[in-house]
Amino acid sequence: MTCWYEGPLAAFDTETTGVDVEGDRIVSAALVIQDGPDARPRSTRWLVNPGVPVPAGATAVHGLTDEHLQLNGRWPAPVMEEVARSLAEQCAAGRPLVIMNAPFDLTLLDRELKRHRAASLSHYLGQNPLRVLDPRVLDKHLDRYRKGRRTLTDLCEHYGVTLEGAHDAAADALAALEVVRAVGRRYASRLERLTPTELHTLQATWHAAQARGLQAWFTRQGTPEVVDTAWPLRPELPAAA
């Protein structure tokens, strides 16, 4: 039987106006599907006019300007609908979904859906559960004592994956997918007997432990930053009284 890391995978990524999952907006998204390691990947891309200014700092990262998005982007409501339905189709097909730092992209998508479609991501998924493979969580658990950063660029370098056009949603999604395949092969003795469903459950536990460790480090440094333990989707903040 083909191991999950040698089988069909899909990958999802977004580019945004910032890093606040509650308030920032998606400006581009991509879904990349690959039926096997040697198969040609198929990409679907979305470009969004978010309806709010794109900060210069965000443009410096992904290169998407207000002018470009206003001329070429689509309104968020139909795009978020299409993105959510596309992810739901992957879940219904039983295809694992690779998402680098999943709580960021999935939470942003969930909030955009609530903002523009008055519906949550879970509404679109229905009875088809997410089976997420997060290269950041996997790598940090399997090689926990390695020093250094673990951005997508760092992981690509570590696992010998070529990343062309970083901070383009489709390029980042494909690179994350290839990193996950590389992680699977490198740690085959620890991963090959686990199903994507089992790995999804384990990653929630691993991420929570990783978050608690980072929170403890922040506390020792006197940094007020709060690390969320939820994975792969953060719960919605309670409404202000």
Side-chain angles (χ1 to χ4, degrees):
M1 181 179 292
T2 302
C3 294
W4 57 264
Y5 50 82
E6 302 292 0
L9 294 174
F12 176 66
D13 188 69
T14 65
E15 297 299 330
T16 69
T17 60
V19 297
D20 177 6
V21 295
E22 301 296 337
D24 278 308
R25 310 298 176 88
I26 293 172
V27 296
S28 71
L31 178 66
V32 176
I33 301 170
Q34 188 182 43
D35 295 326
D38 299 320
R40 184 173 182 175
R42 308 185 299 278
S43 301
T44 302
R45 302 166 181 258
W46 294 272
L47 193 65
V48 186
N49 178 355
V52 299
V54 180
T59 296
V61 173
H62 49 59
L64 297 171
T65 64
D66 278 328
E67 182 180 14
H68 180 75
L69 293 171
Q70 289 168 10
L71 288 173
N72 301 286
R74 297 166 57 204
W75 289 115
V79 172
M80 300 312 151
E81 174 95 7
E82 290 174 17
V83 170
R85 291 191 181 279
S86 295
L87 296 189
E89 287 173 5
Q90 301 311 306
C91 295
R95 192 174 285 115
L97 195 60
V98 175
I99 309 176
M100 174 73 183
N101 191 17
F104 179 77
D105 294 87
L106 288 182
T107 305
L108 257 169
L109 175 59
D110 178 74
R111 304 311 191 253
E112 287 278 57
L113 288 166
K114 290 173 179 175
R115 184 177 295 122
H116 297 290
R117 306 301 302 182
S120 65
L121 178 58
S122 62
H123 167 79
Y124 288 91
L125 297 176
Q127 299 301 311
N128 301 305
L130 281 167
R131 297 193 300 169
V132 175
L133 300 170
D134 188 332
R136 187 168 181 264
V137 175
L138 291 170
D139 172 73
K140 197 168 185 178
H141 177 78
L142 294 163
D143 194 2
R144 66 183 67 183
Y145 300 113
R146 187 177 82 249
K147 296 187 181 299
R149 303 195 322 156
R150 300 184 193 238
T151 66
L152 180 59
T153 300
D154 297 319
L155 295 186
C156 285
E157 182 177 353
H158 182 72
Y159 288 99
V161 170
T162 300
L163 173 56
E164 297 180 356
H167 299 297
D168 169 82
D172 286 357
L174 178 59
L177 187 153
E178 292 179 346
V179 166
V180 162
R181 292 198 191 280
V183 169
R185 295 183 188 116
R186 182 171 298 189
Y187 298 100
S189 62
R190 300 168 65 181
L191 296 175
E192 63 184 355
R193 296 190 180 185
L194 295 170
T195 68
T197 299
E198 291 169 330
L199 266 176
H200 181 98
T201 301
L202 286 169
Q203 285 170 99
T205 300
W206 297 342
H207 176 272
Q210 293 162 10
R212 287 193 294 269
L214 181 57
Q215 185 70 75
W217 186 85
F218 281 143
T219 300
R220 291 195 299 272
Q221 300 302 311
T223 303
E225 187 168 347
V226 176
V227 184
D228 200 314
T229 60
W231 183 96
L233 180 66
R234 296 178 188 172
E236 190 167 16
L237 295 175

